[in-house]
Amino acid sequence: MPRTARKRSSTDLYHVIARGISREPIFKQKREKNNFIRLLLKHLKDRDIEIYAYAIMSTHFHILIRVDLKLLSSYLAIVLAEFAEYYNFKHNRNGHVFQDRFKSECVETSQYFWNCIRYIHMNPVNAHVVKTPENYTFSSLKEYETRKSRIIHSKAIEIYQSEFVDFEEFLDFHQKIQKQIFIDVPEEVEMQFEKAALRLLNQEAHLNGVEEPREIIENIETRRQYKNKLQTELRISKAKSERLYRYVKSCIMEK
């Protein structure tokens, strides 16, 4: 089956992820994370590339990057190839290290840009690795806190300073509710949809003036409206909306 062509961003901004083969924790050790960061930095030299956020998790990574689409592919190709060589040698193995090719999504608006940065920085929190995002060593949040760019571009610090009064305000922004769905490993994407479905139920309860969200599920008319909104507002198929509805029902009815 031929590969689907990547969408080109009008801003040249892309949110990129790649995961280890068979969910393997390819960045489990600190020195593996450090090696990957070193490779990102090594191949930034003499290339027209700007990184605005990153998070290196145990099984995958996230990067928010501004780059021409063709250069994006060549840059990541060499970084991933060199890391794969390092990882295979270190673990005395052969074969692929990353699963399929990297995934990318276009970042077209300023709102999506900042929400994407927040999502990347909150990844370790959502994965229950740390309680607060500033406590995670292998993300760009530390660079924003110190205002010293290492991997992220100097422009990232400049626009951050123009957008937020100080780091505390930036951290407060990270605690806001996420309303968009971002590319990620499948289990994390599913978690985003589940949270969105529960949030939508609470919203329907508020709009209908009921005290408990379960009342939306118990009433045949509001239940129908909620199921329709699941499909239209989350832009998902009817089958997926039904699965999410069953998940929400199991959560609400158990309370």
Side-chain angles (χ1 to χ4, degrees):
M1 181 181 294
R3 289 182 173 181
T4 304
R6 295 190 188 278
K7 292 183 179 180
R8 181 178 295 276
S9 168
S10 63
T11 63
D12 283 338
L13 279 164
Y14 300 92
H15 174 203
V16 176
I17 74 160
R19 77 181 304 177
I21 191 78
S22 301
R23 302 182 182 181
E24 191 170 321
I26 57 175
F27 305 115
K28 185 177 182 180
Q29 299 175 346
K30 288 183 178 179
R31 66 182 189 271
E32 290 167 345
K33 293 183 179 74
N34 283 327
N35 181 269
F36 187 72
I37 289 174
R38 181 184 64 79
L39 291 173
L40 288 175
L41 184 59
K42 171 186 174 182
H43 294 290
L44 279 177
K45 295 177 181 178
D46 302 321
R47 286 183 167 89
D48 187 15
I49 296 173
E50 300 169 4
I51 290 179
Y52 285 82
Y54 65 87
I56 316 301
M57 306 297 290
S58 61
T59 61
H60 64 287
F61 67 82
H62 292 262
I63 300 175
L64 177 58
I65 187 171
R66 174 177 276 141
V67 60
D68 178 77
L69 186 56
K70 289 184 179 179
L71 182 54
L72 171 63
S73 295
S74 62
Y75 170 66
L76 284 180
I78 193 169
V79 170
L80 300 189
E82 285 196 23
F83 181 83
E85 183 179 7
Y86 155 83
Y87 186 82
N88 280 337
F89 175 80
K90 180 172 178 287
H91 294 278
N92 194 28
R93 69 188 291 278
N94 295 297
H96 295 291
V97 172
F98 292 93
Q99 184 170 324
D100 302 322
R101 61 176 183 162
F102 67 88
K103 296 180 180 179
S104 63
E105 65 180 350
C106 300
V107 179
E108 301 286 3
T109 67
S110 176
Q111 181 185 38
Y112 201 81
F113 171 83
W114 287 112
N115 288 344
C116 188
I117 287 180
R118 177 177 59 198
Y119 180 75
I120 290 173
H121 288 160
M122 290 299 291
N123 224 245
V125 177
N126 294 332
H128 306 292
V129 178
V130 292
K131 290 185 178 180
T132 57
E134 69 271 25
N135 289 333
Y136 192 67
T137 304
F138 302 98
S139 86
S140 49
L141 192 57
K142 285 292 182 183
E143 296 186 42
Y144 282 104
E145 181 179 15
T146 61
R147 300 187 181 187
K148 294 179 180 178
S149 59
R150 182 191 176 200
I151 301 297
I152 62 174
H153 199 273
S154 58
K155 287 182 182 177
I157 303 297
E158 291 174 8
I159 62 172
Y160 151 70
Q161 291 178 304
S162 68
E163 186 75 16
F164 298 93
V165 173
D166 52 28
F167 187 66
E168 290 302 315
E169 186 181 47
F170 195 37
L171 284 181
D172 289 342
F173 167 72
H174 281 71
Q175 301 307 316
K176 291 185 177 180
I177 295 173
Q178 171 198 322
K179 295 183 178 181
Q180 294 160 310
I181 306 296
F182 295 92
I183 60 168
D184 208 322
V185 295
E187 55 270 27
E188 294 291 340
V189 172
E190 188 63 23
M191 188 182 300
Q192 291 181 68
F193 274 112
E194 289 171 355
K195 288 180 178 180
L198 286 167
R199 185 173 62 248
L200 185 58
L201 182 68
N202 289 324
Q203 178 181 306
E204 285 299 290
H206 176 73
L207 290 174
N208 284 273
V210 299
E211 293 186 2
E212 295 188 34
R214 74 175 68 185
E215 295 179 61
I216 296 296
I217 300 294
E218 292 170 340
N219 180 278
I220 187 170
E221 181 59 27
T222 55
R223 180 169 69 244
R224 182 187 63 79
Q225 293 173 356
Y226 170 66
K227 291 171 76 172
N228 285 339
K229 284 191 175 182
L230 275 179
Q231 186 174 352
T232 57
E233 295 198 14
L234 299 185
R235 300 177 182 179
I236 54 178
S237 66
K238 185 175 182 179
K240 185 170 181 63
S241 67
E242 283 293 333
R243 288 198 301 272
L244 280 177
Y245 164 72
R246 289 194 295 270
Y247 166 79
V248 169
K249 181 182 178 183
S250 68
C251 292
I252 295 300
M253 294 307 184
E254 288 176 359
K255 294 182 179 181

